[in-house]
PDB file of all heavy atoms in Angstrom:
ATOM      1  N   GLU A   1     -20.532   8.164   2.465  1.00 68.00           N
ATOM      2  CA  GLU A   1     -19.084   8.360   2.343  1.00 68.00           C
ATOM      3  C   GLU A   1     -18.526   7.541   1.188  1.00 68.00           C
ATOM      4  O   GLU A   1     -18.943   6.414   0.960  1.00 68.00           O
ATOM      5  CB  GLU A   1     -18.378   7.930   3.630  1.00 68.00           C
ATOM      6  CG  GLU A   1     -18.804   8.666   4.865  1.00 68.00           C
ATOM      7  CD  GLU A   1     -18.274  10.073   4.969  1.00 68.00           C
ATOM      8  OE1 GLU A   1     -17.220  10.372   4.399  1.00 68.00           O
ATOM      9  OE2 GLU A   1     -18.942  10.881   5.621  1.00 68.00           O
ATOM     10  N   GLN A   2     -17.569   8.129   0.487  1.00 90.00           N
ATOM     11  CA  GLN A   2     -16.817   7.398  -0.519  1.00 90.00           C
ATOM     12  C   GLN A   2     -15.443   7.107   0.071  1.00 90.00           C
ATOM     13  O   GLN A   2     -14.895   7.922   0.801  1.00 90.00           O
ATOM     14  CB  GLN A   2     -16.673   8.225  -1.788  1.00 90.00           C
ATOM     15  CG  GLN A   2     -17.971   8.441  -2.505  1.00 90.00           C
ATOM     16  CD  GLN A   2     -17.750   9.210  -3.799  1.00 90.00           C
ATOM     17  OE1 GLN A   2     -16.636   9.513  -4.178  1.00 90.00           O
ATOM     18  NE2 GLN A   2     -18.834   9.514  -4.472  1.00 90.00           N
ATOM     19  N   PHE A   3     -14.900   5.944  -0.257  1.00 91.00           N
ATOM     20  CA  PHE A   3     -13.620   5.539   0.291  1.00 91.00           C
ATOM     21  C   PHE A   3     -12.609   5.311  -0.818  1.00 91.00           C
ATOM     22  O   PHE A   3     -12.909   4.673  -1.817  1.00 91.00           O
ATOM     23  CB  PHE A   3     -13.769   4.243   1.101  1.00 91.00           C
ATOM     24  CG  PHE A   3     -14.656   4.395   2.298  1.00 91.00           C
ATOM     25  CD1 PHE A   3     -16.016   4.138   2.215  1.00 91.00           C
ATOM     26  CD2 PHE A   3     -14.133   4.811   3.507  1.00 91.00           C
ATOM     27  CE1 PHE A   3     -16.834   4.281   3.309  1.00 91.00           C
ATOM     28  CE2 PHE A   3     -14.945   4.960   4.613  1.00 91.00           C
ATOM     29  CZ  PHE A   3     -16.301   4.698   4.520  1.00 91.00           C
ATOM     30  N   LYS A   4     -11.410   5.841  -0.611  1.00 93.00           N
ATOM     31  CA  LYS A   4     -10.309   5.592  -1.531  1.00 93.00           C
ATOM     32  C   LYS A   4      -9.202   4.914  -0.722  1.00 93.00           C
ATOM     33  O   LYS A   4      -8.724   5.452   0.276  1.00 93.00           O
ATOM     34  CB  LYS A   4      -9.782   6.893  -2.129  1.00 93.00           C
ATOM     35  CG  LYS A   4      -8.584   6.661  -3.029  1.00 93.00           C
ATOM     36  CD  LYS A   4      -8.003   7.952  -3.535  1.00 93.00           C
ATOM     37  CE  LYS A   4      -6.790   7.636  -4.391  1.00 93.00           C
ATOM     38  NZ  LYS A   4      -6.067   8.840  -4.772  1.00 93.00           N
ATOM     39  N   ILE A   5      -8.828   3.700  -1.146  1.00 94.00           N
ATOM     40  CA  ILE A   5      -7.795   2.951  -0.428  1.00 94.00           C
ATOM     41  C   ILE A   5      -6.546   2.860  -1.292  1.00 94.00           C
ATOM     42  O   ILE A   5      -6.610   2.458  -2.447  1.00 94.00           O
ATOM     43  CB  ILE A   5      -8.273   1.526  -0.077  1.00 94.00           C
ATOM     44  CG1 ILE A   5      -9.487   1.579   0.843  1.00 94.00           C
ATOM     45  CG2 ILE A   5      -7.146   0.743   0.578  1.00 94.00           C
ATOM     46  CD1 ILE A   5     -10.022   0.226   1.225  1.00 94.00           C
ATOM     47  N   THR A   6      -5.428   3.240  -0.705  1.00 95.00           N
ATOM     48  CA  THR A   6      -4.127   3.033  -1.331  1.00 95.00           C
ATOM     49  C   THR A   6      -3.325   2.137  -0.410  1.00 95.00           C
ATOM     50  O   THR A   6      -3.628   2.011   0.778  1.00 95.00           O
ATOM     51  CB  THR A   6      -3.369   4.360  -1.554  1.00 95.00           C
ATOM     52  OG1 THR A   6      -3.146   4.982  -0.285  1.00 95.00           O
ATOM     53  CG2 THR A   6      -4.150   5.294  -2.461  1.00 95.00           C
ATOM     54  N   SER A   7      -2.294   1.497  -0.948  1.00 95.00           N
ATOM     55  CA  SER A   7      -1.478   0.624  -0.106  1.00 95.00           C
ATOM     56  C   SER A   7      -0.004   0.797  -0.432  1.00 95.00           C
ATOM     57  O   SER A   7       0.366   1.074  -1.570  1.00 95.00           O
ATOM     58  CB  SER A   7      -1.887  -0.842  -0.272  1.00 95.00           C
ATOM     59  OG  SER A   7      -1.822  -1.218  -1.618  1.00 95.00           O
ATOM     60  N   SER A   8       0.814   0.629   0.579  1.00 95.00           N
ATOM     61  CA  SER A   8       2.258   0.770   0.424  1.00 95.00           C
ATOM     62  C   SER A   8       2.852  -0.503  -0.181  1.00 95.00           C
ATOM     63  O   SER A   8       2.225  -1.564  -0.200  1.00 95.00           O
ATOM     64  CB  SER A   8       2.904   1.039   1.781  1.00 95.00           C
ATOM     65  OG  SER A   8       2.812  -0.116   2.601  1.00 95.00           O
ATOM     66  N   TYR A   9       4.070  -0.378  -0.641  1.00 95.00           N
ATOM     67  CA  TYR A   9       4.807  -1.533  -1.164  1.00 95.00           C
ATOM     68  C   TYR A   9       4.930  -2.610  -0.079  1.00 95.00           C
ATOM     69  O   TYR A   9       4.721  -3.794  -0.340  1.00 95.00           O
ATOM     70  CB  TYR A   9       6.186  -1.084  -1.655  1.00 95.00           C
ATOM     71  CG  TYR A   9       7.049  -2.226  -2.132  1.00 95.00           C
ATOM     72  CD1 TYR A   9       6.858  -2.762  -3.406  1.00 95.00           C
ATOM     73  CD2 TYR A   9       8.044  -2.769  -1.324  1.00 95.00           C
ATOM     74  CE1 TYR A   9       7.639  -3.822  -3.852  1.00 95.00           C
ATOM     75  CE2 TYR A   9       8.826  -3.824  -1.762  1.00 95.00           C
ATOM     76  CZ  TYR A   9       8.624  -4.350  -3.027  1.00 95.00           C
ATOM     77  OH  TYR A   9       9.390  -5.393  -3.453  1.00 95.00           O
ATOM     78  N   LYS A  10       5.226  -2.170   1.137  1.00 95.00           N
ATOM     79  CA  LYS A  10       5.365  -3.100   2.273  1.00 95.00           C
ATOM     80  C   LYS A  10       4.057  -3.862   2.513  1.00 95.00           C
ATOM     81  O   LYS A  10       4.068  -5.070   2.773  1.00 95.00           O
ATOM     82  CB  LYS A  10       5.771  -2.321   3.524  1.00 95.00           C
ATOM     83  CG  LYS A  10       5.946  -3.164   4.750  1.00 95.00           C
ATOM     84  CD  LYS A  10       6.349  -2.306   5.938  1.00 95.00           C
ATOM     85  CE  LYS A  10       6.427  -3.134   7.195  1.00 95.00           C
ATOM     86  NZ  LYS A  10       6.745  -2.330   8.371  1.00 95.00           N
ATOM     87  N   PHE A  11       2.938  -3.171   2.417  1.00 95.00           N
ATOM     88  CA  PHE A  11       1.632  -3.795   2.599  1.00 95.00           C
ATOM     89  C   PHE A  11       1.390  -4.852   1.529  1.00 95.00           C
ATOM     90  O   PHE A  11       0.977  -5.979   1.822  1.00 95.00           O
ATOM     91  CB  PHE A  11       0.533  -2.729   2.557  1.00 95.00           C
ATOM     92  CG  PHE A  11      -0.825  -3.226   2.941  1.00 95.00           C
ATOM     93  CD1 PHE A  11      -1.221  -3.243   4.264  1.00 95.00           C
ATOM     94  CD2 PHE A  11      -1.716  -3.677   1.984  1.00 95.00           C
ATOM     95  CE1 PHE A  11      -2.482  -3.701   4.632  1.00 95.00           C
ATOM     96  CE2 PHE A  11      -2.978  -4.141   2.331  1.00 95.00           C
ATOM     97  CZ  PHE A  11      -3.355  -4.157   3.660  1.00 95.00           C
ATOM     98  N   GLU A  12       1.691  -4.502   0.276  1.00 95.00           N
ATOM     99  CA  GLU A  12       1.505  -5.436  -0.838  1.00 95.00           C
ATOM    100  C   GLU A  12       2.398  -6.665  -0.684  1.00 95.00           C
ATOM    101  O   GLU A  12       1.970  -7.797  -0.950  1.00 95.00           O
ATOM    102  CB  GLU A  12       1.793  -4.736  -2.175  1.00 95.00           C
ATOM    103  CG  GLU A  12       0.799  -3.654  -2.529  1.00 95.00           C
ATOM    104  CD  GLU A  12      -0.611  -4.178  -2.755  1.00 95.00           C
ATOM    105  OE1 GLU A  12      -0.754  -5.289  -3.292  1.00 95.00           O
ATOM    106  OE2 GLU A  12      -1.559  -3.474  -2.385  1.00 95.00           O
ATOM    107  N   GLU A  13       3.620  -6.459  -0.258  1.00 96.00           N
ATOM    108  CA  GLU A  13       4.539  -7.579  -0.044  1.00 96.00           C
ATOM    109  C   GLU A  13       4.047  -8.483   1.087  1.00 96.00           C
ATOM    110  O   GLU A  13       4.163  -9.703   1.007  1.00 96.00           O
ATOM    111  CB  GLU A  13       5.952  -7.065   0.257  1.00 96.00           C
ATOM    112  CG  GLU A  13       6.644  -6.467  -0.950  1.00 96.00           C
ATOM    113  CD  GLU A  13       6.810  -7.471  -2.085  1.00 96.00           C
ATOM    114  OE1 GLU A  13       7.382  -8.548  -1.856  1.00 96.00           O
ATOM    115  OE2 GLU A  13       6.339  -7.164  -3.211  1.00 96.00           O
ATOM    116  N   SER A  14       3.489  -7.889   2.131  1.00 95.00           N
ATOM    117  CA  SER A  14       2.954  -8.682   3.245  1.00 95.00           C
ATOM    118  C   SER A  14       1.741  -9.500   2.812  1.00 95.00           C
ATOM    119  O   SER A  14       1.559 -10.636   3.267  1.00 95.00           O
ATOM    120  CB  SER A  14       2.585  -7.779   4.418  1.00 95.00           C
ATOM    121  OG  SER A  14       3.730  -7.194   4.973  1.00 95.00           O
ATOM    122  N   LEU A  15       0.889  -8.928   1.940  1.00 95.00           N
ATOM    123  CA  LEU A  15      -0.245  -9.692   1.405  1.00 95.00           C
ATOM    124  C   LEU A  15       0.240 -10.972   0.731  1.00 95.00           C
ATOM    125  O   LEU A  15      -0.315 -12.050   0.940  1.00 95.00           O
ATOM    126  CB  LEU A  15      -1.022  -8.860   0.377  1.00 95.00           C
ATOM    127  CG  LEU A  15      -2.048  -7.867   0.876  1.00 95.00           C
ATOM    128  CD1 LEU A  15      -2.606  -7.060  -0.286  1.00 95.00           C
ATOM    129  CD2 LEU A  15      -3.173  -8.548   1.627  1.00 95.00           C
ATOM    130  N   LYS A  16       1.300 -10.833  -0.073  1.00 95.00           N
ATOM    131  CA  LYS A  16       1.870 -11.995  -0.768  1.00 95.00           C
ATOM    132  C   LYS A  16       2.529 -12.957   0.217  1.00 95.00           C
ATOM    133  O   LYS A  16       2.332 -14.171   0.138  1.00 95.00           O
ATOM    134  CB  LYS A  16       2.898 -11.537  -1.801  1.00 95.00           C
ATOM    135  CG  LYS A  16       2.306 -10.770  -2.955  1.00 95.00           C
ATOM    136  CD  LYS A  16       3.402 -10.258  -3.871  1.00 95.00           C
ATOM    137  CE  LYS A  16       2.880  -9.251  -4.860  1.00 95.00           C
ATOM    138  NZ  LYS A  16       3.960  -8.601  -5.606  1.00 95.00           N
ATOM    139  N   LYS A  17       3.323 -12.412   1.120  1.00 94.00           N
ATOM    140  CA  LYS A  17       4.062 -13.234   2.092  1.00 94.00           C
ATOM    141  C   LYS A  17       3.115 -14.098   2.926  1.00 94.00           C
ATOM    142  O   LYS A  17       3.362 -15.283   3.139  1.00 94.00           O
ATOM    143  CB  LYS A  17       4.885 -12.327   3.003  1.00 94.00           C
ATOM    144  CG  LYS A  17       5.610 -13.037   4.116  1.00 94.00           C
ATOM    145  CD  LYS A  17       6.343 -12.052   5.002  1.00 94.00           C
ATOM    146  CE  LYS A  17       6.924 -12.731   6.220  1.00 94.00           C
ATOM    147  NZ  LYS A  17       7.526 -11.760   7.141  1.00 94.00           N
ATOM    148  N   PHE A  18       2.026 -13.486   3.424  1.00 94.00           N
ATOM    149  CA  PHE A  18       1.090 -14.208   4.276  1.00 94.00           C
ATOM    150  C   PHE A  18      -0.018 -14.899   3.475  1.00 94.00           C
ATOM    151  O   PHE A  18      -0.887 -15.546   4.050  1.00 94.00           O
ATOM    152  CB  PHE A  18       0.477 -13.262   5.312  1.00 94.00           C
ATOM    153  CG  PHE A  18       1.479 -12.625   6.234  1.00 94.00           C
ATOM    154  CD1 PHE A  18       1.480 -11.257   6.452  1.00 94.00           C
ATOM    155  CD2 PHE A  18       2.430 -13.387   6.893  1.00 94.00           C
ATOM    156  CE1 PHE A  18       2.387 -10.659   7.303  1.00 94.00           C
ATOM    157  CE2 PHE A  18       3.347 -12.798   7.744  1.00 94.00           C
ATOM    158  CZ  PHE A  18       3.326 -11.434   7.951  1.00 94.00           C
ATOM    159  N   LYS A  19       0.004 -14.724   2.136  1.00 95.00           N
ATOM    160  CA  LYS A  19      -0.983 -15.335   1.245  1.00 95.00           C
ATOM    161  C   LYS A  19      -2.418 -14.991   1.655  1.00 95.00           C
ATOM    162  O   LYS A  19      -3.280 -15.859   1.786  1.00 95.00           O
ATOM    163  CB  LYS A  19      -0.781 -16.846   1.181  1.00 95.00           C
ATOM    164  CG  LYS A  19       0.582 -17.215   0.635  1.00 95.00           C
ATOM    165  CD  LYS A  19       0.806 -18.694   0.635  1.00 95.00           C
ATOM    166  CE  LYS A  19       2.213 -18.964   0.109  1.00 95.00           C
ATOM    167  NZ  LYS A  19       2.715 -20.251   0.432  1.00 95.00           N
ATOM    168  N   LEU A  20      -2.653 -13.697   1.851  1.00 96.00           N
ATOM    169  CA  LEU A  20      -3.966 -13.220   2.272  1.00 96.00           C
ATOM    170  C   LEU A  20      -4.803 -12.818   1.061  1.00 96.00           C
ATOM    171  O   LEU A  20      -4.279 -12.383   0.043  1.00 96.00           O
ATOM    172  CB  LEU A  20      -3.817 -12.023   3.213  1.00 96.00           C
ATOM    173  CG  LEU A  20      -3.041 -12.290   4.501  1.00 96.00           C
ATOM    174  CD1 LEU A  20      -2.907 -11.006   5.312  1.00 96.00           C
ATOM    175  CD2 LEU A  20      -3.716 -13.371   5.328  1.00 96.00           C
ATOM    176  N   ASP A  21      -6.104 -12.958   1.214  1.00 95.00           N
ATOM    177  CA  ASP A  21      -7.055 -12.587   0.173  1.00 95.00           C
ATOM    178  C   ASP A  21      -7.211 -11.062   0.165  1.00 95.00           C
ATOM    179  O   ASP A  21      -7.721 -10.475   1.116  1.00 95.00           O
ATOM    180  CB  ASP A  21      -8.394 -13.265   0.458  1.00 95.00           C
ATOM    181  CG  ASP A  21      -9.425 -13.009  -0.612  1.00 95.00           C
ATOM    182  OD1 ASP A  21      -9.652 -11.825  -0.966  1.00 95.00           O
ATOM    183  OD2 ASP A  21     -10.025 -13.983  -1.090  1.00 95.00           O
ATOM    184  N   ARG A  22      -6.762 -10.429  -0.915  1.00 94.00           N
ATOM    185  CA  ARG A  22      -6.768  -8.967  -1.023  1.00 94.00           C
ATOM    186  C   ARG A  22      -8.163  -8.376  -0.790  1.00 94.00           C
ATOM    187  O   ARG A  22      -8.310  -7.383  -0.081  1.00 94.00           O
ATOM    188  CB  ARG A  22      -6.244  -8.545  -2.385  1.00 94.00           C
ATOM    189  CG  ARG A  22      -6.251  -7.042  -2.626  1.00 94.00           C
ATOM    190  CD  ARG A  22      -5.802  -6.677  -4.027  1.00 94.00           C
ATOM    191  NE  ARG A  22      -4.551  -7.299  -4.392  1.00 94.00           N
ATOM    192  CZ  ARG A  22      -3.348  -6.887  -3.995  1.00 94.00           C
ATOM    193  NH1 ARG A  22      -3.258  -5.832  -3.220  1.00 94.00           N
ATOM    194  NH2 ARG A  22      -2.257  -7.524  -4.380  1.00 94.00           N
ATOM    195  N   GLU A  23      -9.196  -8.970  -1.390  1.00 95.00           N
ATOM    196  CA  GLU A  23     -10.543  -8.416  -1.265  1.00 95.00           C
ATOM    197  C   GLU A  23     -11.076  -8.550   0.165  1.00 95.00           C
ATOM    198  O   GLU A  23     -11.720  -7.636   0.676  1.00 95.00           O
ATOM    199  CB  GLU A  23     -11.495  -9.083  -2.259  1.00 95.00           C
ATOM    200  CG  GLU A  23     -12.854  -8.435  -2.334  1.00 95.00           C
ATOM    201  CD  GLU A  23     -12.838  -6.944  -2.660  1.00 95.00           C
ATOM    202  OE1 GLU A  23     -11.925  -6.466  -3.366  1.00 95.00           O
ATOM    203  OE2 GLU A  23     -13.761  -6.236  -2.192  1.00 95.00           O
ATOM    204  N   LYS A  24     -10.797  -9.658   0.825  1.00 96.00           N
ATOM    205  CA  LYS A  24     -11.228  -9.834   2.220  1.00 96.00           C
ATOM    206  C   LYS A  24     -10.528  -8.833   3.125  1.00 96.00           C
ATOM    207  O   LYS A  24     -11.138  -8.272   4.043  1.00 96.00           O
ATOM    208  CB  LYS A  24     -10.941 -11.255   2.700  1.00 96.00           C
ATOM    209  CG  LYS A  24     -11.862 -12.294   2.111  1.00 96.00           C
ATOM    210  CD  LYS A  24     -11.530 -13.665   2.653  1.00 96.00           C
ATOM    211  CE  LYS A  24     -12.376 -14.745   2.028  1.00 96.00           C
ATOM    212  NZ  LYS A  24     -11.990 -16.086   2.497  1.00 96.00           N
ATOM    213  N   VAL A  25      -9.245  -8.603   2.879  1.00 96.00           N
ATOM    214  CA  VAL A  25      -8.489  -7.623   3.665  1.00 96.00           C
ATOM    215  C   VAL A  25      -9.076  -6.235   3.441  1.00 96.00           C
ATOM    216  O   VAL A  25      -9.301  -5.479   4.387  1.00 96.00           O
ATOM    217  CB  VAL A  25      -6.984  -7.660   3.290  1.00 96.00           C
ATOM    218  CG1 VAL A  25      -6.247  -6.460   3.837  1.00 96.00           C
ATOM    219  CG2 VAL A  25      -6.352  -8.950   3.788  1.00 96.00           C
ATOM    220  N   ARG A  26      -9.348  -5.905   2.198  1.00 95.00           N
ATOM    221  CA  ARG A  26      -9.925  -4.593   1.852  1.00 95.00           C
ATOM    222  C   ARG A  26     -11.274  -4.400   2.550  1.00 95.00           C
ATOM    223  O   ARG A  26     -11.543  -3.347   3.129  1.00 95.00           O
ATOM    224  CB  ARG A  26     -10.080  -4.504   0.336  1.00 95.00           C
ATOM    225  CG  ARG A  26     -10.612  -3.194  -0.163  1.00 95.00           C
ATOM    226  CD  ARG A  26     -10.717  -3.225  -1.713  1.00 95.00           C
ATOM    227  NE  ARG A  26     -11.290  -2.024  -2.221  1.00 95.00           N
ATOM    228  CZ  ARG A  26     -12.595  -1.719  -2.215  1.00 95.00           C
ATOM    229  NH1 ARG A  26     -13.454  -2.579  -1.731  1.00 95.00           N
ATOM    230  NH2 ARG A  26     -13.025  -0.576  -2.698  1.00 95.00           N
ATOM    231  N   GLN A  27     -12.128  -5.414   2.495  1.00 96.00           N
ATOM    232  CA  GLN A  27     -13.445  -5.327   3.132  1.00 96.00           C
ATOM    233  C   GLN A  27     -13.319  -5.185   4.654  1.00 96.00           C
ATOM    234  O   GLN A  27     -14.094  -4.452   5.276  1.00 96.00           O
ATOM    235  CB  GLN A  27     -14.297  -6.555   2.783  1.00 96.00           C
ATOM    236  CG  GLN A  27     -14.760  -6.576   1.347  1.00 96.00           C
ATOM    237  CD  GLN A  27     -15.562  -5.354   0.963  1.00 96.00           C
ATOM    238  OE1 GLN A  27     -16.395  -4.875   1.717  1.00 96.00           O
ATOM    239  NE2 GLN A  27     -15.297  -4.837  -0.229  1.00 96.00           N
ATOM    240  N   ASN A  28     -12.341  -5.864   5.234  1.00 96.00           N
ATOM    241  CA  ASN A  28     -12.116  -5.756   6.675  1.00 96.00           C
ATOM    242  C   ASN A  28     -11.739  -4.321   7.052  1.00 96.00           C
ATOM    243  O   ASN A  28     -12.264  -3.771   8.022  1.00 96.00           O
ATOM    244  CB  ASN A  28     -11.011  -6.721   7.104  1.00 96.00           C
ATOM    245  CG  ASN A  28     -10.679  -6.597   8.571  1.00 96.00           C
ATOM    246  OD1 ASN A  28      -9.895  -5.743   8.953  1.00 96.00           O
ATOM    247  ND2 ASN A  28     -11.275  -7.445   9.385  1.00 96.00           N
ATOM    248  N   ILE A  29     -10.839  -3.724   6.279  1.00 96.00           N
ATOM    249  CA  ILE A  29     -10.415  -2.345   6.553  1.00 96.00           C
ATOM    250  C   ILE A  29     -11.603  -1.396   6.400  1.00 96.00           C
ATOM    251  O   ILE A  29     -11.844  -0.541   7.262  1.00 96.00           O
ATOM    252  CB  ILE A  29      -9.249  -1.929   5.632  1.00 96.00           C
ATOM    253  CG1 ILE A  29      -7.989  -2.717   6.001  1.00 96.00           C
ATOM    254  CG2 ILE A  29      -8.992  -0.423   5.715  1.00 96.00           C
ATOM    255  CD1 ILE A  29      -6.839  -2.553   5.027  1.00 96.00           C
ATOM    256  N   LEU A  30     -12.369  -1.540   5.321  1.00 94.00           N
ATOM    257  CA  LEU A  30     -13.531  -0.668   5.102  1.00 94.00           C
ATOM    258  C   LEU A  30     -14.544  -0.781   6.238  1.00 94.00           C
ATOM    259  O   LEU A  30     -15.048   0.227   6.739  1.00 94.00           O
ATOM    260  CB  LEU A  30     -14.205  -1.001   3.774  1.00 94.00           C
ATOM    261  CG  LEU A  30     -13.475  -0.546   2.525  1.00 94.00           C
ATOM    262  CD1 LEU A  30     -14.172  -1.081   1.280  1.00 94.00           C
ATOM    263  CD2 LEU A  30     -13.373   0.959   2.468  1.00 94.00           C
ATOM    264  N   LYS A  31     -14.835  -2.002   6.650  1.00 95.00           N
ATOM    265  CA  LYS A  31     -15.791  -2.222   7.737  1.00 95.00           C
ATOM    266  C   LYS A  31     -15.301  -1.573   9.026  1.00 95.00           C
ATOM    267  O   LYS A  31     -16.067  -0.933   9.754  1.00 95.00           O
ATOM    268  CB  LYS A  31     -16.009  -3.728   7.934  1.00 95.00           C
ATOM    269  CG  LYS A  31     -17.048  -4.076   8.949  1.00 95.00           C
ATOM    270  CD  LYS A  31     -17.246  -5.578   9.019  1.00 95.00           C
ATOM    271  CE  LYS A  31     -18.226  -5.938  10.113  1.00 95.00           C
ATOM    272  NZ  LYS A  31     -18.390  -7.388  10.242  1.00 95.00           N
ATOM    273  N   HIS A  32     -14.010  -1.723   9.297  1.00 93.00           N
ATOM    274  CA  HIS A  32     -13.422  -1.139  10.513  1.00 93.00           C
ATOM    275  C   HIS A  32     -13.518   0.387  10.476  1.00 93.00           C
ATOM    276  O   HIS A  32     -13.939   1.008  11.453  1.00 93.00           O
ATOM    277  CB  HIS A  32     -11.966  -1.589  10.660  1.00 93.00           C
ATOM    278  CG  HIS A  32     -11.305  -1.043  11.871  1.00 93.00           C
ATOM    279  ND1 HIS A  32     -11.535  -1.539  13.135  1.00 93.00           N
ATOM    280  CD2 HIS A  32     -10.420  -0.025  12.022  1.00 93.00           C
ATOM    281  CE1 HIS A  32     -10.822  -0.855  14.004  1.00 93.00           C
ATOM    282  NE2 HIS A  32     -10.131   0.069  13.357  1.00 93.00           N
ATOM    283  N   ILE A  33     -13.144   0.995   9.361  1.00 93.00           N
ATOM    284  CA  ILE A  33     -13.175   2.457   9.236  1.00 93.00           C
ATOM    285  C   ILE A  33     -14.610   2.973   9.300  1.00 93.00           C
ATOM    286  O   ILE A  33     -14.886   3.975   9.976  1.00 93.00           O
ATOM    287  CB  ILE A  33     -12.491   2.927   7.930  1.00 93.00           C
ATOM    288  CG1 ILE A  33     -11.009   2.524   7.913  1.00 93.00           C
ATOM    289  CG2 ILE A  33     -12.654   4.434   7.736  1.00 93.00           C
ATOM    290  CD1 ILE A  33     -10.159   3.069   9.025  1.00 93.00           C
ATOM    291  N   GLU A  34     -15.537   2.291   8.640  1.00 91.00           N
ATOM    292  CA  GLU A  34     -16.942   2.708   8.683  1.00 91.00           C
ATOM    293  C   GLU A  34     -17.472   2.713  10.117  1.00 91.00           C
ATOM    294  O   GLU A  34     -18.247   3.594  10.488  1.00 91.00           O
ATOM    295  CB  GLU A  34     -17.801   1.799   7.808  1.00 91.00           C
ATOM    296  CG  GLU A  34     -17.636   2.064   6.327  1.00 91.00           C
ATOM    297  CD  GLU A  34     -18.415   1.086   5.461  1.00 91.00           C
ATOM    298  OE1 GLU A  34     -18.707  -0.052   5.915  1.00 91.00           O
ATOM    299  OE2 GLU A  34     -18.717   1.462   4.313  1.00 91.00           O
ATOM    300  N   SER A  35     -17.033   1.767  10.926  1.00 91.00           N
ATOM    301  CA  SER A  35     -17.499   1.705  12.319  1.00 91.00           C
ATOM    302  C   SER A  35     -16.921   2.835  13.171  1.00 91.00           C
ATOM    303  O   SER A  35     -17.439   3.126  14.242  1.00 91.00           O
ATOM    304  CB  SER A  35     -17.147   0.351  12.939  1.00 91.00           C
ATOM    305  OG  SER A  35     -15.764   0.263  13.212  1.00 91.00           O
ATOM    306  N   LYS A  36     -15.855   3.477  12.692  1.00 89.00           N
ATOM    307  CA  LYS A  36     -15.191   4.549  13.450  1.00 89.00           C
ATOM    308  C   LYS A  36     -15.436   5.940  12.870  1.00 89.00           C
ATOM    309  O   LYS A  36     -14.884   6.914  13.372  1.00 89.00           O
ATOM    310  CB  LYS A  36     -13.672   4.302  13.481  1.00 89.00           C
ATOM    311  CG  LYS A  36     -13.250   2.960  14.012  1.00 89.00           C
ATOM    312  CD  LYS A  36     -13.516   2.851  15.487  1.00 89.00           C
ATOM    313  CE  LYS A  36     -13.022   1.516  16.015  1.00 89.00           C
ATOM    314  NZ  LYS A  36     -13.338   1.331  17.404  1.00 89.00           N
TER     315      LYS A  36
END
């Protein structure tokens, strides 16, 4: 499977607000989707 991830403005703002690592968040989402 190939994965294409897009994100909303709200999502991007939350990444900044909570000071989260974008790549770790991306990998978490990919791992979760792959398991489902």
Side-chain angles (χ1 to χ4, degrees):
E1 300 285 334
Q2 293 183 4
F3 297 91
K4 177 184 178 188
I5 298 180
T6 61
S7 56
S8 69
Y9 176 80
K10 180 180 176 183
F11 189 87
E12 293 296 324
E13 288 300 305
S14 293
L15 278 175
K16 293 175 192 171
K17 176 183 173 185
F18 300 130
K19 299 177 182 161
L20 300 177
D21 183 309
R22 178 184 309 282
E23 188 56 30
K24 287 181 183 176
V25 167
R26 182 180 177 282
Q27 289 302 319
N28 177 276
I29 292 171
L30 286 173
K31 185 177 176 183
H32 180 77
I33 298 300
E34 285 176 335
S35 73
K36 305 291 183 184

